[in-house]
Amino acid sequence: MSLFIRLGMWMLLFYFSFALMLLPSVHADAQRALTEAGSALFTLGYAPPDEAGNTLLVYLAAFTGLVVIALQVGYLPALYAAFNRRESEVTLLVSRAGSPAWGPELLIRTRFGLSTVDTTAELGTLYATWEQWAAEVAESHSTYLTLCTLRSPLPESNWLTALLSVMDSAALQLSLSPGIAPTLRARLLLRMGFTCLNQIAEALSVPVVEDVDPDGETELTFSEFSHAVSLLRSAGYPVEHTAEQAWPHFRGWRLNYEAVAYRLAYIIDAPPALWSGPRRLATAQIPPKRPANRVASEAHSEDPQLNLRGPDPTP
């Protein structure tokens, strides 16, 4: 709808602009100027020019109408292709990080779903995929700004909160469990992630701080971080450091992307996922939806929200 409205506004502005330019040639006859401008711009040809003074303007209006509509028609497939590539990975992430996506949820679900598999290799592959995804999104969304506001098919999914959740999971691994983290992949993802956010923010004229103070304060509080660490511990995730020890490292990573991610989420009205900042409308942050669980002990957690495995398939 935004694209069609934009096309309509362009054509309407061109229509009145050419009508105003034609006024001197038609002796200030507004009705005739509007008629000739509309006939030429929409290539109808029912009101041909009868004076040499307005012939050039009429031809120019006809050419403008053809070019604008042709460009718009060619613009739509390019937008849809970029949107489709973006949404493929966002949709795949729903099963890994929930909806809305959340960084700790990604680590918890990976721990449960891959308890017999090398989760380090699996997350390393995921981070490599999202590093490539971030590079493509940085190029496409800074070129076609309309893509930033095109929403996902699922109401609680969003490209920005998905990227934020993957980056948070990498920062959590590096700060809490550096011994088992895919360090290189996690660092490359984080670097490409905040490069992507900064590039899009600059295209949208959003202020960006390139060199952040590593000792600054994040809007995310230590209490929120500590709660997430408790959830990870209760889920059996291997945590090597305490929340107090890991917090300075996690905060240092998050300072690189938190502010710009929050500004972008505010501008595009992204779904209010956990750890994603405020919105235009005062809305409570939504935790990721999890499958129901009959037996709370199966989740190895005293937290009633941490029901991850779903119903027991056996009677």
Side-chain angles (χ1 to χ4, degrees), residues 138-215:
E139 186 277 329
S140 61
H141 286 50
S142 59
T143 304
Y144 304 113
L145 296 179
T146 302
L147 285 170
C148 298
T149 56
L150 293 186
R151 304 185 73 85
S152 299
L154 299 176
E156 292 178 351
S157 293
N158 182 266
W159 67 270
L160 179 57
T161 56
L163 175 59
L164 184 60
S165 69
V166 178
M167 294 175 70
D168 279 339
S169 71
L172 280 167
Q173 273 206 306
L174 291 172
S175 58
L176 284 171
S177 306
I180 64 169
T183 305
L184 176 61
R185 289 299 184 187
R187 287 175 176 270
L188 289 174
L189 164 70
L190 286 165
R191 170 61 63 180
M192 189 63 245
F194 55 74
T195 299
C196 169
L197 294 177
N198 288 348
Q199 186 171 329
I200 294 172
E202 289 174 354
L204 291 170
S205 300
V206 174
V208 173
V209 178
E210 294 287 348
D211 298 319
V212 299
D213 180 7
D215 296 321

Side-chain angles (χ1 to χ4, degrees), residues 115 177 181 220 240 245 274 280 299 311:
S115 57
S177 306
L220 183 75
E240 300 171 11
Q245 292 171 329
L274 296 177
R280 298 175 194 269

